[in-house]
Amino acid sequence: MESMVLVLGVSAGAGGARAMLTHSDQPHLPPIDRCQVPRRAGGGVEEPVFEAIRRMSASAERRDELITSTAVTCRCTLHAEAIRATAGRTRLTIVDEPLAQLRYLRFTGLLPDSGSVILYDLGSSGLTVTHADCRTDTVLAGRRSTVLGGDGYDALLRWQLARGGVLTDKITSRRHREALSNARVVTAMDTVSGGRAVVTRSDLAELCAAGIHHSASFVRQIIEESGVQPEAMVLLGGCTRSPSIREALAELVDLPMIYDPEPEYVSARGAVLLAAERPMGDVRMARARVGAALRAPGPMDRRKVLAAVAVTLALGATIAGLLAMDRSSAQPAETGSTPTPVRIAGTPSDTVTK
């Protein structure tokens, strides 16, 4: 019997790297090993990538096996260049991240045979929206926002807890947010004062509401930009594990939703498939020619764009302010009614839903 090939898939992002070690024909099954390496403050994107490769190589050696090929997904050219420059003699396949995502979705049968899909990738460091053609693997349009993401939602959660007299750090608030993907209620505790606060899934949904509404308008802009109606929207990134986020998006975006049980590992699983197929070099996605199949926005489109820009600025200022508070000793706010995230952003709720 022919032995199975051991391959390594790594996804690189602004927040760090995720790696998955498995056999080339089993990307959909529980891996032999996996790891997540956060990016250190001030460090380059290449650092967590090669640390993840080192850990998984050690894991393979303990099994007395050899990794035959490694693929790393990158979101942008700058990341790809940094990783390639550091690779040295390490054999790598560098893949555009949306291509790896499409490849794995096709493998699992979730990708439509024709038409296009929206790849909605909501991770810790931001939101990437890509409109891709399923048949040709061509990017029709795409944008990224660092306003919307897990880091910002964690900051909002810390803000709410601080109002209740419970101060937490970034790691703890992230753990609470992630716990609400499975539990409906989480109790947060201040280790210094001993204070406690209960946070529900509904509380988290309210905190994220303004950002999710804006991301829906973001999706509509991408569709208008490309002039092509997609068949579905694929929910990717760790933040989409939250049922409240998925439910809100399903209500706001009139498209069928595609969801993998481990949305944050779809890129790495796709990298596994591409590592086995193309053991060396770079694999890039085609981009639709500027102006091809696009239509110029009309007056209403311009109003939507301006509204979306206003929301981006308001949310960005809010999140930036909260993140800046992390660097100082945040104190609980004065007592009073707790504003909703929409009021925090200073944006009327109907601005982003028209």
Side-chain angles (χ1 to χ4, degrees):
M1 178 185 232
E2 185 179 350
S3 61
M4 289 180 287
V5 177
L6 191 65
V7 293
L8 175 61
V10 184
S11 61
R18 284 187 170 87
M20 178 167 291
L21 181 67
T22 187
H23 292 114
S24 58
D25 60 344
Q26 299 177 350
H28 57 304
L29 299 179
I32 293 169
D33 202 355
R34 70 170 75 181
C35 70
Q36 179 179 355
V37 182
R39 183 178 177 179
R40 70 175 178 86
V45 70
E46 70 279 1
E47 290 183 12
V49 168
F50 287 100
E51 173 60 20
I53 291 174
R54 186 194 66 77
R55 292 185 191 181
M56 294 298 93
S57 297
S59 178
E61 288 177 8
R62 288 193 293 270
R63 292 172 51 87
D64 197 25
E65 292 192 68
L66 177 67
I67 298 174
T68 59
S69 56
T70 300
V72 181
T73 70
C74 293
R75 184 178 297 127
C76 66
T77 302
L78 287 177
H79 288 179
E81 290 175 349
I83 291 167
R84 179 62 73 196
T86 310
R89 300 180 67 179
T90 304
R91 291 173 56 85
L92 288 179
T93 299
I94 296 182
V95 184
D96 284 351
E97 186 170 51
L99 183 62
Q101 293 166 345
L102 292 172
R103 182 67 183 83
Y104 179 68
L105 294 168
R106 187 175 291 115
F107 174 85
T108 57
L110 293 175
L111 193 70
D113 295 329
S114 60
S116 62
V117 292
I118 296 289
L119 301 174
Y120 179 100
D121 193 344
L122 185 60
S124 62
S125 61
L127 170 67
T128 303
V129 178
T130 306
H131 192 178
D133 185 274
C134 298
R135 187 177 57 82
T136 62
D137 289 342
T138 299
V139 173
L140 303 178
R143 289 185 189 173
R144 177 165 173 79
S145 170
T146 55
V147 172
L148 309 167
D151 291 343
Y153 296 147
D154 293 343
L156 287 169
L157 181 56
R158 287 194 298 279
W159 171 84
Q160 175 162 305
L161 290 172
R163 287 181 62 86
V166 174
L167 300 182
T168 61
D169 57 23
K170 294 171 67 175
I171 295 175
T172 304
S173 64
R174 171 145 300 184
R175 187 170 67 246
H176 292 329
R177 177 176 62 80
E178 291 176 346
L180 288 170
S181 295
N182 299 313
R184 292 190 172 275
V185 179
V186 168
T187 300
M189 185 175 74
D190 189 322
T191 56
V192 176
S193 68
R196 292 173 179 268
V198 172
V199 183
T200 67
R201 189 178 288 174
S202 297
D203 293 332
L204 181 63
E206 185 176 354
L207 287 171
C208 298
I212 297 303
H213 273 74
H214 175 49
S215 74
S217 72
F218 207 58
V219 170
R220 287 191 285 271
Q221 287 177 57
I222 293 292
I223 296 172
E224 290 173 356
E225 217 174 89
S226 66
V228 178
Q229 181 63 27
E231 300 295 320
M233 186 163 85
V234 184
L235 303 181
L236 303 163
C239 291
T240 61
R241 277 183 174 268
S242 169
S244 57
I245 287 179
R246 297 200 303 272
E247 290 166 5
L249 285 169
E251 292 178 2
L252 293 167
V253 180
D254 187 22
L255 289 172
M257 297 290 159
I258 296 174
Y259 175 72
D260 184 88
E262 290 189 313
E264 69 273 37
Y265 277 98
V266 167
S267 296
R269 292 181 189 276
V272 164
L273 290 165
L274 289 163
E277 295 172 3
R278 312 177 192 186
M280 189 66 178
D282 294 356
V283 184
R284 307 300 304 276
M285 283 189 83
R287 261 69 177 176
R289 183 166 46 85
V290 176
L294 303 183
R295 58 183 179 83
M300 180 59 71
D301 294 323
R302 292 192 183 92
R303 286 199 294 272
K304 289 179 181 177
V305 170
L306 290 173
V309 169
V311 177
T312 302
L313 293 174
L315 282 172
T318 300
I319 298 301
L322 290 172
L323 293 175
M325 288 172 59
D326 290 338
R327 292 189 288 271
S328 61
S329 55
Q331 297 296 325
E334 297 178 0
T335 57
S337 61
T338 303
T340 67
V342 171
R343 294 196 190 105
I344 297 169
T347 307
S349 59
D350 60 350
T351 300
V352 296
T353 56
K354 287 182 181 177

Coordinates of all heavy atoms in Angstrom, one line a residue, residues 205-294:
A205 N -23.8 40.5 21.1 CA -24.4 40.8 19.8 C -24.7 42.3 19.7 O -24.5 43.0 18.7 CB -25.7 40.0 19.7
E206 N -25.1 42.9 20.9 CA -25.4 44.4 20.9 C -24.1 45.2 20.7 O -24.1 46.2 20.0 CB -26.1 44.8 22.2 CG -26.5 46.2 22.2 CD -27.3 46.5 23.5 OE1 -27.6 45.6 24.3 OE2 -27.6 47.7 23.7
L207 N -23.0 44.7 21.3 CA -21.8 45.4 21.2 C -21.2 45.4 19.8 O -20.6 46.3 19.3 CB -20.7 44.8 22.1 CG -20.9 45.1 23.6 CD1 -19.9 44.2 24.4 CD2 -20.7 46.6 23.9
C208 N -21.5 44.2 19.1 CA -21.0 44.1 17.7 C -21.9 44.6 16.7 O -21.5 44.6 15.5 CB -20.7 42.6 17.5 SG -19.5 41.8 18.6
A209 N -23.1 45.0 17.0 CA -24.1 45.3 16.1 C -23.7 46.4 15.1 O -23.9 46.2 13.8 CB -25.4 45.7 16.8
A210 N -23.1 47.5 15.5 CA -22.8 48.6 14.6 C -21.8 48.1 13.6 O -21.8 48.4 12.4 CB -22.2 49.8 15.4
G211 N -20.8 47.3 14.1 CA -19.7 46.8 13.2 C -20.3 45.8 12.1 O -19.9 45.9 11.0
I212 N -21.2 45.0 12.6 CA -21.8 44.0 11.7 C -22.7 44.7 10.6 O -22.7 44.3 9.4 CB -22.5 42.9 12.4 CG1 -21.6 42.1 13.3 CG2 -23.3 42.0 11.5 CD1 -20.4 41.5 12.6
H213 N -23.4 45.7 11.1 CA -24.2 46.4 10.1 C -23.3 47.1 9.1 O -23.7 47.1 7.9 CB -25.1 47.5 10.8 CG -26.4 47.0 11.4 ND1 -26.5 46.2 12.5 CD2 -27.6 47.2 10.9 CE1 -27.8 45.9 12.7 NE2 -28.5 46.5 11.7
H214 N -22.2 47.7 9.5 CA -21.4 48.3 8.6 C -20.7 47.3 7.6 O -20.6 47.6 6.4 CB -20.3 49.1 9.3 CG -19.2 49.6 8.4 ND1 -19.6 50.4 7.3 CD2 -17.9 49.6 8.4 CE1 -18.5 50.7 6.6 NE2 -17.4 50.3 7.3
S215 N -20.4 46.1 8.1 CA -19.8 45.1 7.3 C -20.7 44.6 6.2 O -20.3 44.3 5.1 CB -19.3 43.9 8.1 OG -20.3 43.1 8.5
A216 N -22.0 44.6 6.5 CA -23.0 44.3 5.5 C -23.1 45.3 4.4 O -23.2 45.0 3.2 CB -24.4 44.2 6.2
S217 N -22.9 46.6 4.7 CA -22.8 47.6 3.7 C -21.6 47.5 2.9 O -21.5 47.8 1.7 CB -23.0 49.0 4.3 OG -21.8 49.4 5.0
F218 N -20.5 47.0 3.6 CA -19.2 46.8 2.9 C -19.4 45.7 1.9 O -18.9 45.8 0.7 CB -18.3 46.3 4.0 CG -16.8 46.5 3.8 CD1 -16.4 47.8 3.6 CD2 -15.9 45.5 3.8 CE1 -15.0 48.1 3.4 CE2 -14.6 45.7 3.6 CZ -14.1 47.0 3.4
V219 N -20.1 44.6 2.2 CA -20.4 43.6 1.2 C -21.2 44.1 0.0 O -20.9 43.8 -1.1 CB -21.2 42.4 1.9 CG1 -21.7 41.4 0.9 CG2 -20.3 41.7 2.9
R220 N -22.2 44.9 0.3 CA -23.0 45.5 -0.8 C -22.2 46.4 -1.7 O -22.4 46.4 -2.9 CB -24.2 46.3 -0.2 CG -25.3 45.3 0.4 CD -26.6 46.1 0.7 NE -26.4 46.9 1.9 CZ -26.7 46.5 3.1 NH1 -27.1 45.2 3.3 NH2 -26.5 47.3 4.2
Q221 N -21.2 47.1 -1.1 CA -20.4 47.9 -2.0 C -19.5 47.1 -2.9 O -19.3 47.4 -4.1 CB -19.4 48.7 -1.1 CG -20.1 49.9 -0.3 CD -19.0 50.6 0.6 OE1 -18.0 51.0 0.1 NE2 -19.3 50.6 1.9
I222 N -19.0 45.9 -2.4 CA -18.2 45.1 -3.2 C -19.0 44.5 -4.4 O -18.5 44.4 -5.5 CB -17.6 43.9 -2.3 CG1 -16.6 44.4 -1.3 CG2 -17.0 42.8 -3.2 CD1 -15.3 45.0 -1.9
I223 N -20.2 44.1 -4.1 CA -21.1 43.6 -5.1 C -21.4 44.6 -6.2 O -21.3 44.4 -7.4 CB -22.4 43.0 -4.5 CG1 -22.1 41.8 -3.6 CG2 -23.4 42.6 -5.6 CD1 -23.3 41.4 -2.8
E224 N -21.7 45.9 -5.7 CA -21.9 46.9 -6.7 C -20.7 47.2 -7.5 O -20.8 47.6 -8.7 CB -22.4 48.2 -5.9 CG -23.8 48.0 -5.3 CD -24.2 49.2 -4.4 OE1 -23.3 50.1 -4.2 OE2 -25.3 49.2 -3.9
E225 N -19.5 47.2 -6.9 CA -18.3 47.4 -7.6 C -18.0 46.5 -8.7 O -17.6 46.8 -9.8 CB -17.1 47.3 -6.5 CG -16.0 48.3 -6.7 CD -15.0 48.2 -5.6 OE1 -14.1 47.4 -5.7 OE2 -15.2 48.9 -4.6
S226 N -18.3 45.2 -8.4 CA -18.1 44.2 -9.5 C -19.2 44.1 -10.5 O -18.9 43.7 -11.6 CB -17.9 42.8 -8.8 OG -19.1 42.4 -8.2
G227 N -20.4 44.5 -10.1 CA -21.5 44.4 -11.0 C -22.0 43.0 -11.3 O -22.7 42.7 -12.2
V228 N -21.6 42.0 -10.4 CA -21.9 40.6 -10.5 C -22.6 40.2 -9.2 O -22.1 40.4 -8.1 CB -20.7 39.7 -10.7 CG1 -21.1 38.3 -10.8 CG2 -20.0 40.1 -12.0
Q229 N -23.8 39.6 -9.3 CA -24.6 39.1 -8.2 C -24.0 37.7 -7.7 O -24.0 36.8 -8.5 CB -26.0 39.0 -8.5 CG -26.9 38.5 -7.3 CD -26.9 39.4 -6.1 OE1 -26.7 40.6 -6.3 NE2 -27.1 38.9 -4.9
P230 N -23.5 37.6 -6.5 CA -22.9 36.3 -6.1 C -24.0 35.3 -5.7 O -25.1 35.6 -5.5 CB -22.1 36.7 -4.8 CG -22.8 37.9 -4.3 CD -23.3 38.7 -5.5
E231 N -23.5 34.0 -5.8 CA -24.4 32.9 -5.4 C -24.6 32.7 -3.9 O -25.6 32.2 -3.4 CB -23.9 31.6 -6.1 CG -23.8 31.6 -7.6 CD -25.1 31.8 -8.2 OE1 -26.1 31.1 -7.8 OE2 -25.2 32.5 -9.2
A232 N -23.5 33.1 -3.2 CA -23.5 32.8 -1.7 C -22.5 33.6 -1.1 O -21.6 34.3 -1.7 CB -23.3 31.3 -1.4
M233 N -22.5 33.7 0.3 CA -21.4 34.3 1.0 C -20.8 33.3 2.0 O -21.5 32.6 2.7 CB -21.9 35.5 1.8 CG -20.8 36.3 2.5 SD -21.3 37.9 3.1 CE -22.1 37.6 4.7
V234 N -19.5 33.2 2.0 CA -18.7 32.2 2.8 C -18.2 32.9 4.0 O -17.6 34.0 3.9 CB -17.6 31.6 2.0 CG1 -16.9 30.6 2.9 CG2 -18.0 31.0 0.7
L235 N -18.6 32.4 5.2 CA -18.2 33.0 6.5 C -16.9 32.4 6.9 O -16.8 31.2 7.2 CB -19.3 32.8 7.5 CG -20.6 33.4 7.1 CD1 -21.6 33.2 8.3 CD2 -20.5 34.9 6.8
L236 N -15.8 33.2 7.0 CA -14.5 32.7 7.4 C -13.9 33.5 8.5 O -14.4 34.6 8.9 CB -13.6 32.8 6.2 CG -14.0 32.1 4.9 CD1 -13.2 32.7 3.7 CD2 -13.8 30.6 5.0
G237 N -12.9 33.0 9.2 CA -12.2 33.7 10.3 C -12.9 33.3 11.6 O -14.0 33.0 11.7
G238 N -12.1 33.4 12.7 CA -12.5 32.9 14.0 C -13.7 33.7 14.5 O -14.5 33.1 15.3
C239 N -13.9 34.9 14.2 CA -15.0 35.7 14.7 C -16.4 35.1 14.2 O -17.4 35.3 14.9 CB -14.9 37.2 14.3 SG -13.6 38.0 15.1
T240 N -16.4 34.5 13.1 CA -17.7 34.0 12.6 C -18.1 32.7 13.3 O -19.2 32.1 13.0 CB -17.6 33.7 11.1 OG1 -16.6 32.7 10.8 CG2 -17.3 35.0 10.3
R241 N -17.3 32.2 14.3 CA -17.8 31.1 15.1 C -18.9 31.6 16.0 O -19.7 30.8 16.5 CB -16.6 30.7 16.0 CG -15.7 29.7 15.4 CD -14.6 29.2 16.4 NE -13.8 28.2 16.0 CZ -14.0 26.9 16.1 NH1 -15.1 26.5 16.7 NH2 -13.1 26.0 15.7
S242 N -19.1 32.9 16.2 CA -20.1 33.4 17.0 C -21.5 33.2 16.4 O -21.7 33.8 15.3 CB -19.9 34.9 17.3 OG -21.0 35.5 17.9
P243 N -22.4 32.5 17.0 CA -23.7 32.3 16.4 C -24.5 33.7 16.2 O -25.2 33.8 15.2 CB -24.5 31.4 17.4 CG -23.4 30.7 18.1 CD -22.3 31.7 18.2
S244 N -24.3 34.6 17.1 CA -25.0 35.9 17.0 C -24.5 36.7 15.8 O -25.3 37.3 15.1 CB -24.8 36.7 18.3 OG -23.4 36.9 18.5
I245 N -23.2 36.6 15.5 CA -22.6 37.3 14.3 C -23.2 36.6 13.0 O -23.6 37.3 12.1 CB -21.1 37.3 14.3 CG1 -20.6 38.2 15.4 CG2 -20.5 37.6 12.9 CD1 -19.1 38.3 15.5
R246 N -23.2 35.3 13.0 CA -23.7 34.6 11.8 C -25.2 34.9 11.6 O -25.6 35.1 10.5 CB -23.5 33.1 12.0 CG -22.1 32.6 12.0 CD -21.9 31.2 11.7 NE -22.7 30.3 12.5 CZ -22.3 29.8 13.7 NH1 -21.1 30.1 14.1 NH2 -23.0 28.9 14.4
E247 N -26.0 34.9 12.7 CA -27.4 35.2 12.6 C -27.6 36.6 12.1 O -28.5 36.9 11.2 CB -28.1 35.0 13.9 CG -28.2 33.5 14.3 CD -28.5 33.4 15.8 OE1 -28.8 34.4 16.5 OE2 -28.5 32.2 16.3
A248 N -26.9 37.6 12.6 CA -27.0 39.0 12.2 C -26.7 39.1 10.7 O -27.4 39.8 10.0 CB -26.1 39.9 13.0
L249 N -25.6 38.5 10.2 CA -25.2 38.6 8.8 C -26.3 38.0 7.9 O -26.6 38.5 6.8 CB -23.9 37.9 8.6 CG -22.6 38.7 9.1 CD1 -21.4 37.8 9.1 CD2 -22.4 40.0 8.3
A250 N -26.8 36.8 8.4 CA -27.9 36.2 7.6 C -29.1 37.1 7.4 O -29.8 37.1 6.3 CB -28.3 34.9 8.2
E251 N -29.4 37.9 8.4 CA -30.5 38.8 8.3 C -30.2 40.0 7.5 O -31.1 40.6 6.8 CB -30.9 39.3 9.7 CG -31.5 38.2 10.6 CD -31.9 38.7 12.0 OE1 -31.6 39.9 12.3 OE2 -32.3 37.9 12.8
L252 N -28.9 40.5 7.5 CA -28.6 41.7 6.8 C -28.2 41.5 5.4 O -28.3 42.5 4.5 CB -27.4 42.4 7.6 CG -27.7 42.9 9.0 CD1 -26.5 43.3 9.7 CD2 -28.7 44.2 8.9
V253 N -27.6 40.4 5.0 CA -27.2 40.1 3.7 C -28.1 39.1 3.0 O -28.2 37.9 3.5 CB -25.7 39.6 3.7 CG1 -25.2 39.4 2.2 CG2 -24.8 40.7 4.3
D254 N -28.7 39.4 2.0 CA -29.7 38.5 1.3 C -29.0 37.5 0.4 O -29.1 37.6 -0.8 CB -30.7 39.4 0.5 CG -31.8 38.5 0.0 OD1 -32.1 37.4 0.6 OD2 -32.5 38.9 -1.0
L255 N -28.2 36.6 1.0 CA -27.5 35.6 0.3 C -27.4 34.3 1.1 O -27.4 34.4 2.4 CB -26.0 36.0 0.0 CG -25.7 37.1 -1.0 CD1 -24.3 37.5 -0.9 CD2 -26.1 36.7 -2.4
P256 N -27.4 33.2 0.5 CA -27.2 31.9 1.2 C -25.9 32.0 1.9 O -24.9 32.5 1.4 CB -27.2 30.8 0.1 CG -28.0 31.5 -1.0 CD -27.6 32.9 -1.0
M257 N -25.8 31.4 3.1 CA -24.5 31.4 3.9 C -23.8 30.1 3.9 O -24.5 29.0 4.0 CB -24.8 31.8 5.4 CG -25.4 33.2 5.5 SD -24.2 34.5 5.2 CE -25.2 35.9 4.8
I258 N -22.5 30.1 3.6 CA -21.7 28.9 3.6 C -20.8 29.0 4.8 O -20.1 30.0 5.0 CB -20.9 28.7 2.3 CG1 -21.8 28.5 1.1 CG2 -19.9 27.5 2.5 CD1 -21.1 28.5 -0.2
Y259 N -20.8 27.9 5.7 CA -20.0 28.0 6.9 C -19.3 26.7 7.2 O -20.0 25.6 7.2 CB -20.9 28.4 8.1 CG -20.3 28.4 9.4 CD1 -19.3 29.4 9.8 CD2 -20.6 27.4 10.4 CE1 -18.7 29.4 11.0 CE2 -20.0 27.4 11.6 CZ -19.0 28.4 11.9 OH -18.4 28.4 13.2
D260 N -18.0 26.7 7.4 CA -17.3 25.5 7.9 C -17.2 25.5 9.4 O -17.0 26.6 10.0 CB -15.9 25.6 7.3 CG -15.1 24.3 7.6 OD1 -15.2 23.4 6.8 OD2 -14.3 24.3 8.6
P261 N -17.3 24.4 10.0 CA -17.2 24.3 11.5 C -16.0 24.9 12.1 O -16.0 25.3 13.3 CB -17.3 22.8 11.8 CG -18.0 22.2 10.6 CD -17.5 23.0 9.4
E262 N -14.9 25.0 11.4 CA -13.6 25.6 11.9 C -13.2 26.7 10.9 O -12.3 26.5 10.1 CB -12.5 24.6 12.0 CG -12.7 23.7 13.2 CD -11.5 22.8 13.5 OE1 -10.9 22.2 12.5 OE2 -11.1 22.7 14.7
P263 N -14.0 27.8 10.9 CA -13.8 28.8 9.8 C -12.4 29.4 9.8 O -11.9 29.9 8.8 CB -14.8 29.9 10.1 CG -15.1 29.7 11.6 CD -15.0 28.2 11.8
E264 N -11.7 29.4 11.0 CA -10.4 30.0 11.0 C -9.3 29.2 10.5 O -8.1 29.6 10.2 CB -10.0 30.4 12.5 CG -9.8 29.2 13.4 CD -11.0 28.7 14.1 OE1 -12.1 28.7 13.4 OE2 -11.0 28.3 15.2
Y265 N -9.6 27.9 10.2 CA -8.6 27.0 9.6 C -8.9 26.6 8.1 O -8.2 25.8 7.6 CB -8.6 25.7 10.4 CG -7.7 25.8 11.6 CD1 -8.3 26.0 12.9 CD2 -6.3 25.7 11.6 CE1 -7.5 26.2 14.0 CE2 -5.5 25.8 12.7 CZ -6.1 26.0 13.9 OH -5.3 26.2 15.0
V266 N -9.8 27.3 7.5 CA -10.1 27.0 6.1 C -8.9 27.3 5.2 O -8.6 26.6 4.3 CB -11.4 27.8 5.6 CG1 -11.5 27.7 4.1 CG2 -12.6 27.2 6.3
S267 N -8.2 28.4 5.5 CA -7.1 28.8 4.7 C -6.0 27.8 4.8 O -5.3 27.4 3.8 CB -6.6 30.2 5.1 OG -7.5 31.2 4.9
A268 N -5.7 27.4 6.0 CA -4.6 26.4 6.3 C -4.9 25.1 5.6 O -4.1 24.4 5.0 CB -4.3 26.2 7.7
R269 N -6.2 24.7 5.7 CA -6.6 23.4 5.0 C -6.5 23.5 3.5 O -6.1 22.5 2.8 CB -8.1 23.1 5.4 CG -8.2 22.7 6.9 CD -9.7 22.4 7.2 NE -9.9 22.2 8.6 CZ -9.7 21.1 9.3 NH1 -9.3 20.0 8.7 NH2 -10.0 21.1 10.6
G270 N -6.8 24.6 2.9 CA -6.6 24.8 1.5 C -5.2 24.8 1.1 O -4.8 24.3 0.1
A271 N -4.3 25.4 2.0 CA -2.9 25.3 1.8 C -2.4 23.9 1.8 O -1.4 23.6 1.0 CB -2.2 26.1 2.9
V272 N -2.9 23.0 2.6 CA -2.5 21.6 2.6 C -2.8 21.0 1.2 O -1.9 20.3 0.7 CB -3.3 20.8 3.7 CG1 -3.3 19.3 3.4 CG2 -2.8 21.2 5.1
L273 N -3.9 21.3 0.6 CA -4.2 20.7 -0.7 C -3.3 21.3 -1.8 O -2.8 20.5 -2.6 CB -5.7 21.1 -1.1 CG -6.7 20.3 -0.3 CD1 -8.1 21.0 -0.5 CD2 -6.8 18.9 -0.7
L274 N -3.0 22.6 -1.7 CA -2.1 23.2 -2.7 C -0.6 22.8 -2.5 O 0.1 22.7 -3.4 CB -2.3 24.7 -2.6 CG -3.6 25.2 -3.2 CD1 -3.9 26.6 -2.8 CD2 -3.6 25.1 -4.7
A275 N -0.2 22.5 -1.2 CA 1.1 22.0 -1.0 C 1.4 20.7 -1.6 O 2.4 20.4 -2.2 CB 1.3 21.9 0.5
A276 N 0.3 19.8 -1.6 CA 0.5 18.5 -2.3 C 0.5 18.6 -3.8 O 1.2 17.9 -4.5 CB -0.7 17.6 -1.8
E277 N -0.3 19.6 -4.3 CA -0.4 19.8 -5.8 C 0.8 20.5 -6.4 O 1.3 20.2 -7.5 CB -1.7 20.5 -6.1 CG -2.9 19.8 -5.7 CD -4.2 20.6 -5.9 OE1 -4.0 21.8 -6.4 OE2 -5.3 20.2 -5.6
R278 N 1.3 21.5 -5.7 CA 2.4 22.4 -6.2 C 3.4 22.6 -5.1 O 3.3 23.5 -4.3 CB 1.8 23.7 -6.6 CG 0.5 23.5 -7.5 CD -0.1 24.9 -7.8 NE -1.4 24.7 -8.4 CZ -2.2 25.7 -8.9 NH1 -1.7 26.9 -9.0 NH2 -3.4 25.4 -9.4
P279 N 4.4 21.7 -5.1 CA 5.4 21.7 -3.9 C 6.4 22.9 -3.9 O 7.1 23.0 -2.9 CB 6.1 20.4 -4.1 CG 6.0 20.0 -5.6 CD 4.6 20.6 -6.0
M280 N 6.4 23.8 -4.9 CA 7.3 24.8 -4.9 C 6.9 26.0 -5.7 O 6.2 25.8 -6.7 CB 8.7 24.3 -5.4 CG 9.8 25.3 -5.2 SD 10.2 25.6 -3.4 CE 11.6 26.7 -3.6
G281 N 7.2 27.2 -5.3 CA 6.9 28.4 -6.1 C 5.8 29.2 -5.5 O 5.3 29.0 -4.4
D282 N 5.3 30.2 -6.3 CA 4.2 31.0 -5.8 C 2.9 30.7 -6.7 O 3.0 30.5 -7.9 CB 4.5 32.5 -6.0 CG 5.7 32.9 -5.1 OD1 6.1 32.1 -4.3 OD2 6.1 34.1 -5.2
V283 N 1.8 30.8 -6.0 CA 0.5 30.5 -6.7 C -0.3 31.8 -6.5 O -0.8 32.0 -5.4 CB -0.2 29.3 -6.2 CG1 -1.5 29.0 -7.0 CG2 0.7 28.1 -6.2
R284 N -0.6 32.5 -7.6 CA -1.3 33.8 -7.5 C -2.7 33.7 -8.1 O -2.9 32.9 -9.1 CB -0.5 34.9 -8.2 CG 0.9 35.1 -7.7 CD 1.0 35.4 -6.2 NE 0.2 36.6 -5.9 CZ 0.6 37.8 -6.0 NH1 1.8 38.1 -6.4 NH2 -0.1 38.8 -5.6
M285 N -3.6 34.5 -7.6 CA -4.9 34.5 -8.2 C -5.0 35.6 -9.3 O -4.3 36.6 -9.2 CB -6.0 34.9 -7.2 CG -6.4 33.8 -6.3 SD -7.8 34.2 -5.2 CE -9.2 33.9 -6.3
A286 N -5.8 35.3 -10.3 CA -6.0 36.3 -11.4 C -6.9 37.4 -10.8 O -7.8 37.1 -10.0 CB -6.6 35.6 -12.6
R287 N -6.7 38.6 -11.3 CA -7.6 39.7 -10.9 C -8.3 40.2 -12.1 O -7.8 40.3 -13.2 CB -6.8 40.9 -10.3 CG -6.7 41.0 -8.8 CD -5.9 39.9 -8.2 NE -5.8 40.0 -6.7 CZ -5.3 39.1 -5.9 NH1 -4.7 38.0 -6.4 NH2 -5.2 39.3 -4.6
A288 N -9.6 40.5 -11.9 CA -10.4 41.0 -13.1 C -9.8 42.3 -13.5 O -9.4 43.1 -12.7 CB -11.8 41.2 -12.7
R289 N -9.7 42.5 -14.8 CA -9.1 43.8 -15.3 C -9.9 45.0 -14.9 O -11.1 44.9 -14.8 CB -9.1 43.7 -16.9 CG -8.5 44.9 -17.6 CD -8.3 44.5 -19.0 NE -9.4 43.9 -19.6 CZ -10.4 44.6 -20.1 NH1 -10.4 45.9 -20.1 NH2 -11.4 44.0 -20.7
V290 N -9.2 46.0 -14.4 CA -9.9 47.2 -13.9 C -10.8 47.7 -15.0 O -10.5 47.9 -16.1 CB -8.8 48.3 -13.6 CG1 -9.6 49.6 -13.1 CG2 -7.9 47.8 -12.5
G291 N -12.1 47.9 -14.6 CA -13.1 48.4 -15.5 C -13.9 47.3 -16.2 O -14.9 47.6 -16.8
A292 N -13.4 46.1 -16.1 CA -14.1 45.0 -16.8 C -15.3 44.5 -16.0 O -15.2 44.3 -14.8 CB -13.1 43.8 -17.0
A293 N -16.4 44.4 -16.6 CA -17.7 44.0 -16.0 C -18.1 44.8 -14.8 O -18.8 44.4 -14.0 CB -17.5 42.5 -15.5
L294 N -17.5 46.0 -14.7 CA -17.9 46.9 -13.6 C -18.8 48.0 -14.2 O -18.7 48.5 -15.3 CB -16.7 47.5 -12.9 CG -15.7 46.5 -12.4 CD1 -14.5 47.3 -11.7 CD2 -16.3 45.5 -11.4

